[in-house]
């Protein structure tokens, strides 16, 4: 990676507000925003449950058919796969569950880790995900880990869906978040965990502005 390129990592569980904050931090720093979760969602959406039954070679062959690229800055950052911007088709709870499932597969994680590191050699970025600070970019100077209770994260997701005019079941959303937390935190490969040198911020009782200010206070 070129010395003049900056990598900021922002990790945490589902529904903690990483996406909004990562975009805002990237905007403030005038660098790109990398949604690594979208990469796993793409494979979850494309491969579905069949990925669990594929051999390592089959998975690698399938993965090789996809090429990722990143352009833009902050809120205008665009992640593309095979030249096409990633769309809303991957933004469902069902795809999120599939993404968490394929994230346990070494072939998928290793392939995306290589891609993410390659992208970081081309542009400065804020990398949002589950293991950006602990695994993918262990030498990043600025690492943050956001957390909040499952109930608070469920309520945020419920309100978000309602604002979008979509039907939502709060209890079911909280249950799904807890299920995903269990998968992410207990998987053998790159479990969800804060890097030892990450700045941990509990967002349960903070609004977006409060979390954003807490993050930006760490920058020179």
């Amino acid at each position: 990676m070129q010395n003049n390129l900056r990598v900021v990592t922002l990790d945490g569980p589902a529904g903690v507000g990483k996406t909004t904050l990562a975009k805002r931090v990237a905007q403030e720093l005038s660098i790109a925003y990398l949604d690594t979760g979208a990469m796993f969602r793409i494979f979850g959406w494309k491969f579905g449950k069949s990925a669990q039954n594929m051999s390592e070679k089959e998975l690698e062959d399938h993965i090789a058919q996809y090429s990722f690229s990143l352009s833009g800055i902050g809120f205008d950052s665009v992640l593309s796969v095979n030249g096409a911007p990633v769309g809303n088709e991957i933004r469902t709870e069902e795809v999120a569950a599939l993404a968490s499932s394929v994230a346990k597969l070494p072939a998928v994680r290793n392939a995306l880790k290589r891609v993410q590191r390659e992208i970081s050699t081309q542009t400065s970025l804020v990398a949002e995900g589950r293991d950006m600070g602990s695994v993918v970019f262990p030498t990043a100077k600025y690492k943050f880990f956001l957390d909040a209770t499952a109930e608070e994260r469920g309520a945020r997701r419920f309100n978000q869906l309602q604002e979008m005019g979509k039907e939502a079941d709060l209890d079911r959303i909280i249950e799904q978040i807890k299920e995903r937390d269990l998968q992410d935190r207990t998987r053998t490969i790159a479990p969800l965990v804060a890097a030892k040198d990450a700045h941990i911020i509990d967002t349960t009782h903070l609004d977006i502005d409060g979390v954003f200010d807490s993050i930006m206070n760490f920058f020179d």
Side-chain angles (χ1 to χ4, degrees), residues 41-98:
R41 282 174 178 258
I42 282 290
F43 288 151
W45 179 55
K46 293 290 187 181
F47 303 160
K49 295 180 179 178
S50 64
Q52 305 298 324
N53 300 318
M54 291 183 193
S55 68
E56 195 89 349
K57 181 63 166 60
E58 286 177 310
L59 262 178
E60 290 174 350
D61 289 343
H62 277 75
I63 291 169
Q65 298 175 32
Y66 298 92
S67 174
F68 292 90
S69 60
L70 180 66
S71 60
I73 286 175
F75 292 107
D76 297 320
S77 300
V78 177
L79 177 66
S80 297
V81 58
N82 292 345
V86 174
N88 290 328
E89 63 274 2
I90 66 169
R91 306 297 179 180
T92 68
E93 297 303 317
E94 290 72 24
V95 172
L98 289 170

Side-chain angles (χ1 to χ4, degrees), residues 11-21 93 145-164 166 168-171 173-174 177 201-212:
D11 294 312
V16 78
K18 298 189 304 295
T19 298
T20 300
L21 286 158
E93 297 303 317
F145 188 92
L146 308 184
D147 210 347
T149 64
E151 288 73 20
E152 174 62 24
R153 287 181 280 137
R156 292 173 184 173
R157 179 59 176 161
F158 176 78
N159 292 332
Q160 181 184 45
L161 290 172
Q162 285 205 316
E163 290 173 2
M164 295 167 63
K166 296 183 178 180
D169 181 326
L170 178 57
D171 290 337
I173 291 173
I174 292 175
I177 284 177
I201 302 174
D202 186 339
T203 75
T204 302
H205 302 296
L206 292 174
D207 60 14
I208 291 293
D209 289 340
V211 181
F212 175 74

Side-chain angles (χ1 to χ4, degrees), residues 165-183:
K166 296 183 178 180
E167 292 187 6
D169 181 326
L170 178 57
D171 290 337
R172 177 57 182 154
I173 291 173
I174 292 175
E175 181 183 345
Q176 289 175 327
I177 284 177
K178 289 181 176 179
E179 290 173 354
R180 187 167 181 187
D181 280 355
L182 183 62
Q183 279 194 4

Side-chain angles (χ1 to χ4, degrees), residues 2 12 31 39 77 79 84 102 115 125 130 139 171 194 198 207 218:
Q2 298 176 29
I31 60 179
M39 294 175 160
S77 300
L79 177 66
V102 300
V115 171
L125 53 84
R130 298 287 191 279
T139 61
D171 290 337
D207 60 14
F218 288 99

